[in-house]
Amino acid sequence: MPYFDAASAAPLHPVARQALLASLDEGWADPARLYREGRKARMLLDASREAAAEAVGCRADEVVFTTSGTRAVHAAVAGALAGRRRVGRHLIVSAVEHSSVLHSAEVFEADGGSVTHVGVGRTGAVDPGSFAAALRADTALAVLQSANHEVGTVQPVAEVAEACRAAGVPLLVDAAQSLGWGPVAGGWALLAASAHKWGGPSGVGLLVVRKGVRFAAQGPVDERESGRAAGFENIPAIVAAVASLRAVRAGAAQEEVRLRELTERIRTRVPELVADVEVVGDAERRLPGIVTFSCLYADGEALLHELDRAGFSVSSGSSCTSSTLTPSHVLKAMGVLSEGNVRVSLPVGAAEADVERFLQVLPGAVAAVRAKLGAPAPAVRARPAELVVDSLGKRCPIPVIELAKVIGDVPVGGTVRVLSDDEAARLDIPAWCEMRGQRYLGEEPAERGTAYLVHRLV
């Protein structure tokens, strides 16, 4: 059954499984003890911390292992706000942050603090200027995700971090969705992440606090993890988490190209196959594996059940709030269609054949949900599978120009047949296909001139 909900939790990476099993026999003892078993456990913990620091781009003594990404966020927000209490009690977050950030903001506000929610545009990205304008003399902390968990939009972290640095305000980055693809750029001060987002085991989070950042851990503390995450470390899980992070990073560049092509295929094909659909999120500045769309006249939960019966695991809106039956706060902040929302988040190694089958199944699933709800039959926006461009008697580049104008009028997988009697077309049309990422199928004799066949790929 194809699993297309990696943004919620990625399948356990094979390297993580191997590392977990291997470290169970060596990492069970208390790493704070000086006897042999404790020293072995300490070596595994220290090596994992060094590797995690390398992946993040920080010092090893700035890395803390927590029991989850949510726990890392809560600890980061509470600790940074407490550490800078003398500066003021003002917190800035974006309107599309993960629920863990928003819940921390609610607790802070209930305790007398003030919170500013910076809005976003229709793509889901904050405007750096608007974020900078929200900074005040009493701002103790600012929080911005590196990329959105629902629509995949990448945030301008470096620009916001620079504005925060100029104002003397630390920036906490929630890097849960992006850390598996690469380090977060910019002068951020704190960072949180979660291992199960990149194929590590659940129950392991990362908290990074840069040197020089005022931080006061809240709640009962002990001597472990620099006093910032109390409790016995789950060393086998930590080892597996860091091993999987290194493994996915090693193949990230190649896998990013592949997943971007698959998600772009979904972004392009879904509006062609299903009427009354809005594809949301930034078309360019986005994570490789996430694509989100909303279907008018459809219920998201019912649509997920239809797709589940068809063999596909996807999510709708926010995985953290879908059970509340309230609209996604992310889609609401973006001002986009929220009904009938589907988030497809492809895991590493997702098969092209599964994506193609999803595109085949989706129209029927949407139609079934709409029929059950008594929705009006949407207008069918059919596109011919083949178009003929008659460029006989016209000199190049006219045949190529006319091809470029109509290639979007056939669906992906469709064909354009260009009729031309200009010899230059034999060179120009294949060259155009190469430049534009389309497939040149060859030529055929025509009643007059030659027919050049072009297969639409994108």
Side-chain angles (χ1 to χ4, degrees):
M1 179 170 179
Y3 178 77
F4 287 174
D5 193 23
S8 295
L12 190 66
H13 195 284
V15 169
R17 185 183 303 276
Q18 294 170 3
L20 180 64
L21 293 175
S23 58
L24 285 173
D25 291 333
E26 300 291 334
W28 54 268
D30 187 345
R33 303 305 175 199
L34 299 180
Y35 42 70
R36 180 175 53 191
E37 293 85 357
R39 293 197 305 271
K40 287 181 179 180
R42 169 58 63 179
M43 288 177 61
L44 289 174
L45 184 59
D46 289 346
S48 297
R49 201 181 311 276
E50 290 281 354
E54 181 181 1
V56 171
C58 65
R59 294 168 40 153
D61 58 358
E62 296 172 335
V63 175
V64 171
F65 293 110
T66 67
T67 53
S68 69
T70 294
R71 183 67 249 169
V73 166
H74 291 173
V77 173
L81 288 172
R84 286 174 49 83
R85 189 182 181 94
R86 291 184 179 180
V87 173
R89 303 208 68 204
H90 178 233
L91 169 66
I92 300 174
V93 301
S94 86
V96 294
E97 293 300 314
H98 187 268
S99 59
S100 61
V101 172
L102 300 183
H103 292 160
S104 290
E106 290 170 0
V107 170
F108 177 64
E109 197 166 27
D111 191 41
S114 61
V115 180
T116 296
H117 294 81
V118 179
V120 297
R122 284 188 66 85
T123 66
V126 301
D127 172 58
S130 298
F131 207 101
L135 294 165
R136 307 186 326 207
D138 64 338
T139 302
L141 177 67
V143 185
L144 180 64
Q145 59 193 192
S146 56
N148 187 261
H149 49 293
E150 287 192 35
V151 300
T153 296
V154 173
Q155 300 288 359
V157 171
E159 295 93 326
V160 170
E162 178 58 28
C164 290
R165 186 201 62 77
V169 175
L171 176 67
L172 163 63
V173 176
D174 175 9
Q177 291 296 335
S178 73
L179 196 61
W181 297 106
V184 179
W188 48 268
L190 304 99
L191 180 143
S194 186
H196 73 276
K197 301 292 187 179
W198 64 68
S202 59
V204 179
L206 283 183
L207 167 61
V208 179
V209 182
R210 296 279 199 189
K211 291 298 180 183
V213 176
R214 292 187 177 276
F215 190 93
Q218 300 301 287
V221 298
D222 58 26
E223 72 281 0
R224 299 180 188 277
E225 296 301 304
S226 304
R228 293 172 177 169
F232 199 99
E233 298 95 340
N234 186 345
I235 294 178
I238 289 171
V239 171
V242 177
S244 61
L245 178 58
R246 297 185 66 178
V248 297
R249 280 284 191 86
Q254 183 177 358
E255 186 66 1
E256 177 178 351
V257 173
R258 199 181 70 84
L259 288 187
R260 282 194 185 280
E261 192 280 327
L262 292 177
T263 52
E264 184 59 32
R265 190 180 306 183
I266 297 172
R267 288 180 65 90
T268 301
R269 293 275 297 280
V270 167
E272 296 174 349
L273 296 169
V274 181
D276 299 316
V277 165
E278 181 179 14
V279 181
V280 301
D282 197 296
E284 300 296 332
R285 289 177 55 86
R286 60 185 175 85
L287 292 174
I290 297 179
V291 56
T292 303
F293 55 89
S294 299
C295 305
L296 199 61
Y297 314 127
D299 174 73
E301 185 175 354
L303 187 51
L304 296 199
H305 287 312
E306 285 291 333
L307 290 170
D308 182 50
R309 280 193 286 269
F312 290 93
S313 301
V314 298
S315 64
S316 177
S318 171
S319 59
C320 302
T321 60
S322 59
S323 62
T324 66
L325 301 179
T326 58
S328 156
H329 71 278
V330 172
L331 301 178
K332 182 178 179 181
M334 292 167 61
V336 298
L337 181 66
S338 63
E339 65 183 62
N341 180 259
V342 175
R343 179 186 68 180
V344 175
S345 48
L346 304 178
V348 170
E352 179 181 6
D354 289 338
V355 171
E356 282 297 325
R357 192 166 70 82
F358 173 78
L359 291 170
Q360 294 172 6
V361 165
L362 180 65
V366 175
V369 171
R370 287 173 171 170
K372 290 177 183 177
L373 295 174
V380 179
R381 294 181 294 171
R383 297 187 178 191
E386 179 175 292
L387 281 179
V388 177
V389 175
D390 188 348
S391 293
L392 295 169
K394 300 174 183 178
R395 298 294 182 186
C396 281
I398 299 302
V400 178
I401 292 174
E402 293 183 340
L403 165 62
K405 286 181 178 179
V406 304
I407 190 69
D409 292 337
V410 297
V412 173
T415 303
V416 176
R417 183 183 299 267
V418 183
L419 302 179
S420 177
D421 50 9
D422 183 6
E423 187 65 24
R426 181 168 281 111
L427 298 176
D428 290 355
I429 291 177
W432 179 89
C433 292
E434 181 69 25
M435 293 174 65
R436 296 301 182 189
Q438 309 296 352
R439 178 181 296 160
Y440 179 62
L441 299 179
E443 61 180 72
E444 294 178 353
E447 186 176 344
R448 291 177 53 208
T450 303
Y452 300 92
L453 277 63
V454 177
H455 180 77
R456 184 182 173 191
L457 294 179
V458 295

